[in-house]
Amino acid sequence: MYILDLLIKILIIIIPLLISVAYFTLAERKILGAIQRRRGPNVVGAYGLLQPLSDGFKLLVKETVLPSNANKEIFIISPMLTFVISLMGWAVIPYDKYSVFSELNIGLLYLFAMSSLGVYGIIMSGWSSNSKYAFLGALRSTAQMVSYEVSIGFIMITIVVCCGSFNLQQIVEYQKNAWFIIPFFPLFLMFFTSGLAETNRHPFDLPEAEAELVSGYNVEYSAMGFALFSLGEYANMLMMSSINVILFFGGWLPPFAFLSFLPGSFWFGLKISFFVILFVWMRAALPRYRYDQLMGLGWKVFLPVSLAYLMLTCSVLICFNLLPY
């Protein structure tokens, strides 16, 4: 009975998440179409609403092509690993007060660990493809993700120092009086930009640079292998959006007290939708960085600034005796 209850809880989280990921792709194409003054998908179903289901079915029934020189076992496992890891982080995301699959006291540390593990699926896929383009894309992606995880870690530590806890529920409840975006607006900008780099999105889509790498680490994948990479990428974008909401926008808390009659999950979903639009907007508006600019921004700008902000925050809390522990 316990295992059955556990499976039901997992499905309650995963099924809406997969539907959200599918319609994220439709929203992206619609928003890009509106920005570029065209229609976007509008043929399959009313207003193109069945387009994600059509695309998913097409990829499901297509034949999977395995390169003759590839390491086939690792080649097949890599997209599965990327997809599973992208789902594992959602176990600790609180959608509302007491609405969380597993409330961990080290929830933020768990999210950081899941984010770091995502590198393995990418580097395994690039190496096992036995293609110079795929391997170069995987190396770019790994270096990019590792570089920006350092500044993300320092930003998370700054929030933890203020709250005195790694528990995501407590971090949200600590923002009842004021969201952290008010005192930590520079950290929010760095965290959001680092999230773009972490998920390999514009303007930091160097691993998937179509002009020179022909789609990067997933160039040899087709059918469901490619679909799993795509699902993992969009699930990671939703994950970074939810972490942004929890750390800086008060999680499920409404912007004003008189709006508290609406459920917390509504506010949580609304805030994530705002970040989804921002992710797509970045893709439509910004050109791609050069690789040296990408690394310079991470190591020469974000790392020292986030470390300095951490030291400043600790100094203020100690000087005014405001430490929460």
Side-chain angles (χ1 to χ4, degrees), residues 119 121-127 132-145 207 213 216-218:
V119 173
I122 291 173
I123 195 69
M124 285 167 59
S125 67
W127 179 82
K132 65 179 75 174
Y133 297 109
F135 189 52
L136 183 56
L139 288 178
R140 277 186 172 189
S141 180
T142 304
Q144 179 173 321
M145 294 171 75
L213 287 185
Y217 57 86
N218 54 13

Side-chain angles (χ1 to χ4, degrees), residues 209-223:
E210 292 89 354
E212 60 266 28
L213 287 185
V214 205
S215 188
Y217 57 86
N218 54 13
V219 64
E220 299 290 347
Y221 283 89
S222 60

Side-chain angles (χ1 to χ4, degrees), residues 11-301:
L11 290 176
I12 288 173
I13 292 175
I14 288 181
I15 292 176
L17 175 62
L18 293 181
I19 295 173
S20 301
V21 167
Y23 279 92
F24 186 176
T25 61
L26 177 64
E28 179 177 37
R29 295 167 71 181
K30 283 285 191 182
I31 295 168
L32 285 174
I35 292 173
Q36 297 166 357
R37 301 186 68 181
R38 54 185 177 83
R39 289 184 179 275
N42 64 341
V43 175
V44 185
Y47 302 105
L49 290 176
L50 298 181
Q51 187 69 50
L53 304 180
S54 173
D55 293 340
F57 181 73
K58 178 194 72 173
L59 291 168
L60 181 65
V61 299
K62 283 184 72 173
E63 179 186 2
T64 301
V65 178
L66 298 178
S68 56
N69 294 327
N71 188 321
K72 293 181 175 54
E73 292 80 9
I74 300 178
F75 186 84
I76 294 171
I77 290 172
S78 300
M80 299 179 188
L81 181 66
T82 299
F83 176 65
V84 169
I85 289 174
S86 70
L87 298 181
M88 287 173 65
W90 289 91
V92 297
I93 296 293
Y95 309 95
D96 199 348
K97 194 171 185 179
Y98 310 123
S99 295
V100 59
F101 178 77
S102 177
E103 185 177 355
L104 296 179
N105 286 329
I106 55 168
L108 198 58
L109 205 59
Y110 173 83
L111 283 178
F112 191 64
M114 290 301 105
S115 173
S116 302
L117 285 175
V119 173
Y120 289 100
I122 291 173
I123 195 69
M124 285 167 59
S125 67
W127 179 82
S128 63
S129 297
N130 200 17
S131 163
K132 65 179 75 174
Y133 297 109
F135 189 52
L136 183 56
L139 288 178
R140 277 186 172 189
S141 180
T142 304
Q144 179 173 321
M145 294 171 75
V146 169
S147 299
Y148 281 85
E149 276 171 2
V150 180
S151 56
I152 285 177
F154 280 123
I155 294 169
M156 286 181 172
I157 292 171
T158 306
I159 302 296
V160 169
V161 166
C162 289
C163 301
S165 174
F166 284 95
N167 189 303
L168 297 176
Q169 295 258 12
Q170 294 181 19
I171 290 174
V172 172
E173 290 171 1
Y174 205 82
Q175 302 176 62
K176 280 184 177 179
N177 297 322
W179 294 353
F180 280 152
I181 189 173
I182 297 172
F184 296 131
F185 184 71
L187 288 186
F188 160 70
L189 292 179
M190 287 192 294
F191 192 88
F192 177 70
T193 308
S194 299
L196 291 173
E198 182 77 10
T199 52
N200 300 326
R201 292 288 294 183
H202 285 69
F204 307 111
D205 64 324
L206 273 301
E208 300 177 8
E210 292 89 354
E212 60 266 28
L213 287 185
V214 205
S215 188
Y217 57 86
N218 54 13
V219 64
E220 299 290 347
Y221 283 89
S222 60
M224 278 311 293
F226 179 82
L228 288 175
F229 272 123
S230 181
L231 288 171
E233 179 182 341
Y234 282 90
N236 281 330
M237 278 190 275
L238 290 176
M239 170 67 66
M240 291 305 299
S241 300
S242 65
I243 298 173
N244 263 301
V245 168
I246 289 170
L247 294 184
F248 298 102
F249 282 80
W252 64 83
L253 298 175
F256 303 104
F258 68 88
L259 294 172
S260 57
F261 65 92
L262 290 169
S265 55
F266 169 79
W267 292 111
F268 191 76
L270 189 66
K271 293 172 186 177
I272 286 183
S273 301
F274 167 73
F275 279 100
V276 164
I277 294 172
L278 277 185
F279 267 94
V280 179
W281 192 7
M282 295 298 110
R283 178 175 180 180
L286 299 176
R288 185 188 305 137
Y289 268 47
R290 288 200 319 265
Y291 197 70
D292 59 316
Q293 292 174 327
L294 169 78
M295 286 299 172
L297 183 66
W299 290 107
K300 297 178 182 178
V301 180

